[in-house]
Amino acid sequence: MNGPRRRAAFVVALIMAAGTPMVGRAAAQTSVEVRSGLAVGNHTSTSAALEWAPALSYEIRIGRRLRPQVAVSAGYVRTAFGCREGFCRGREPTVTGNHAALGVELSRGWLWGRVGVLYGTTRVGTEGETPRAGPGLEAGAGLRLRLGRARIGPGLSWRRMSADTPSSTDHAVALGFDLGVVFEFD
């Protein structure tokens, strides 16, 4: 298992271990969430504005409900979008971020909202310098409809990701629209 995946697995285990003692029997609920959709964005080093060149993004998270309307989650997030302007012109690479995610979610009825932190790398294409791992932020919101023990619904996300290399300090911002499925246990 490589470094970023090992760190993500450690973060998931830590959150699950830390959240378990705080949860009472009435609120205890573990969930697995899978989301996939399209994202658009920009990367500072490409000198391009917000790019309307979507690419496939996805995430998987493990969550633990602390209270009926509050949950913590940890998982893996892959954010990708195309680049056609600025220095990308003629090459059209994909900007890809691979991050461990740690967040807090609030929900009420059909609505949910999440804020969290990211840690990982963001790279433009497959050439150039090796990216450095760094921090990021995320926020998301959406709807969920209950189907038995599962919930399904659309969501919107915003992510600001570090895109540093040994010779530059950059960042990327992505906006995503996705569809998710949450499977509940306990």
Side-chain angles (χ1 to χ4, degrees):
M1 194 181 285
N2 66 16
R5 287 187 184 161
R6 185 176 304 142
R7 283 188 291 268
F10 174 75
V11 169
V12 169
L14 182 64
I15 288 302
M16 297 311 292
T20 301
M22 296 185 292
V23 178
R25 279 185 115 30
Q29 192 170 44
T30 301
S31 64
V32 174
E33 180 177 22
V34 178
R35 302 192 72 77
S36 183
L38 298 175
V40 297
N42 76 333
H43 187 283
T44 55
S45 70
T46 63
S47 298
L50 179 65
E51 294 277 358
W52 292 100
L56 182 65
S57 296
Y58 56 86
E59 60 189 84
I60 183 165
R61 298 175 191 257
I62 296 173
R64 185 76 174 171
R65 194 150 300 284
L66 301 178
R67 302 206 181 274
Q69 297 173 342
V70 179
V72 293
S73 66
Y76 169 76
V77 176
R78 180 188 184 273
T79 308
F81 56 89
C83 182
R84 296 180 181 158
E85 299 299 322
F87 298 127
C88 297
R89 190 167 289 158
R91 292 183 5 208
E92 299 187 12
T94 299
V95 177
T96 307
N98 293 293
H99 294 84
L102 180 61
V104 175
E105 179 179 301
L106 300 175
S107 61
R108 185 169 189 110
W110 293 359
L111 301 174
W112 63 270
R114 177 185 298 141
V115 293
V117 294
L118 305 170
Y119 188 79
T121 61
T122 304
R123 182 180 203 122
V124 179
T126 57
E127 301 173 7
E129 293 181 290
T130 302
R132 286 188 180 164
L137 299 171
E138 72 169 342
L143 301 172
R144 287 194 186 120
L145 303 173
R146 186 169 294 283
L147 298 171
R149 293 181 66 92
R151 292 177 286 152
I152 186 168
L156 297 171
S157 65
W158 170 87
R159 295 188 180 111
R160 186 182 194 285
M161 305 165 286
S162 170
D164 295 346
T165 64
S167 65
S168 68
T169 302
D170 296 315
H171 71 273
V173 175
L175 301 172
F177 177 75
D178 53 32
L179 184 64
V181 178
V182 178
F183 300 98
E184 299 172 341
F185 305 96
D186 290 351

